[in-house]
Amino acid sequence: MSKKYHDIRESAYEANMQLPKLGLVLFTFGNVSAADREERVFAIKPSGVPYEKLSPKKMVIVDFDGNIIDGDLRPSSDTKTHAVLYKHWENINGIVHTHSTYATAWAQTQRDIPIFGTTHADHLTVDVPCAPPMDDEMIKGDYEYETGFQIMNCFKEKGLSYEDVEMVLVGNHAPFTWGKTADKAVYNSAVLESVAQMAYLTEQINPSAPRLKDALIKKHFERKHGPNSYYGQ
Ligand SMILES: [Zn+2]
């Protein structure tokens, strides 16, 4: 086992262990990876291992083309999706996939999550995008690899930047989130689940609830981001 990958194994392990604590996964569902940009590899959860049996050394090291570089176990079945995103989106160092209940419910409706409130606007200024289900040819092909392109195509079509919008719903499947670190990607998964739950309740209470108005979207986003942010310490 190479010492070289110690740091990303630790980060990936710690971040994976957050998922059950945050109530974002059941059983062995879900996976987090952490990348080392210099080595062009990432550490990812092994496939089908319960969270309580994980350890840093069980994290599998994979390159950005999806080849296993180091580790004794088979990597998560979603590994190729992570590899595609790392390869094409150069400023992300962590990716999370869960089937968290509310975000997955929205994915199953194939709808973007409308920006209804300031909790949403604190994190992104647009609806949470939902990538349409992939066509049959892609499904029959290299499915997990194509899921990466399904996500990137959605961002291209909607004119979104992966640095501004760190989350997506994969239609009929579930969410993926990412960030500059694995921890930030986990944080984004928890925020997404909360925003998805609030949006669901909003539509239950008022099916024609209006979207947040532009002035509030801008105000809330800029409080936390940008040159004049003043949220936090
Ligand atoms: Zn999945």
Side-chain angles (χ1 to χ4, degrees):
M1 179 115 351
S2 173
K3 277 245 187 302
K4 187 153 87 173
Y5 308 122
H6 174 268
D7 290 358
I8 51 172
R9 279 200 161 99
E10 286 283 339
S11 315
Y13 169 72
E14 295 293 341
N16 272 289
M17 295 308 283
Q18 290 298 312
L19 298 185
K21 280 186 199 145
L22 290 164
L24 297 172
V25 291
L26 280 175
F27 305 113
T28 65
F29 297 14
N31 43 74
V32 186
S33 65
D36 178 335
R37 284 277 156 194
E38 276 173 24
E39 298 289 336
R40 295 188 65 76
V41 295
F42 57 97
I44 191 164
K45 181 168 161 276
S47 183
V49 178
Y51 284 88
E52 65 273 17
K53 299 243 164 78
L54 291 179
S55 64
K57 72 171 200 259
K58 286 185 181 161
M59 299 296 127
V60 186
I61 305 298
V62 179
D63 72 16
F64 293 173
D65 291 312
N67 303 303
I68 298 172
I69 301 298
D70 194 47
D72 301 325
L73 299 168
R74 196 191 321 190
S76 158
S77 54
D78 298 301
T79 294
K80 284 186 181 169
T81 309
H82 291 240
V84 167
L85 296 180
Y86 284 128
K87 186 165 180 169
H88 293 90
W89 287 352
E90 287 175 4
N91 295 323
I92 61 173
N93 296 307
I95 297 174
V96 178
H97 175 53
T98 77
H99 288 197
S100 66
T101 307
Y102 287 90
T104 301
W106 280 93
Q108 291 182 172
T109 69
Q110 299 182 24
R111 283 182 58 198
D112 295 354
I113 303 177
I115 181 164
F116 282 131
T118 63
T119 322
H120 185 139
D122 282 339
H123 299 90
L124 64 164
T125 58
V126 294
D127 296 352
V128 177
C130 182
M134 62 177 90
D135 63 39
D136 293 2
E137 284 308 305
M138 285 166 86
I139 293 167
K140 282 187 226 144
D142 195 342
Y143 178 69
E144 289 78 15
Y145 180 75
E146 296 291 1
T147 302
F149 289 95
Q150 180 187 14
I151 292 169
M152 289 193 302
N153 290 341
C154 167
F155 271 60
K156 252 179 236 158
E157 273 159 31
K158 291 178 185 284
L160 300 174
S161 150
Y162 72 87
E163 290 177 278
D164 295 337
V165 178
E166 296 181 321
M167 53 187 72
V168 71
L169 305 173
V170 173
N172 298 117
H173 183 176
F176 280 83
T177 64
W178 48 88
K180 286 215 180 336
T181 63
D183 280 348
K184 179 70 193 313
V186 170
Y187 169 88
N188 286 332
S189 277
V191 167
L192 170 57
E193 180 61 6
S194 175
V195 163
Q197 183 176 17
M198 288 178 197
Y200 165 75
L201 292 170
T202 302
E203 288 197 347
Q204 291 299 301
I205 297 164
N206 178 4
S208 52
R211 292 169 84 260
L212 190 62
K213 62 181 186 173
D214 287 344
L216 277 170
I217 293 175
K218 202 160 177 276
K219 181 71 184 171
H220 272 265
F221 193 76
E222 287 176 357
R223 276 193 334 162
K224 276 195 151 182
H225 307 267
N228 301 314
S229 61
Y230 57 90
Y231 177 88
Q233 297 307 314

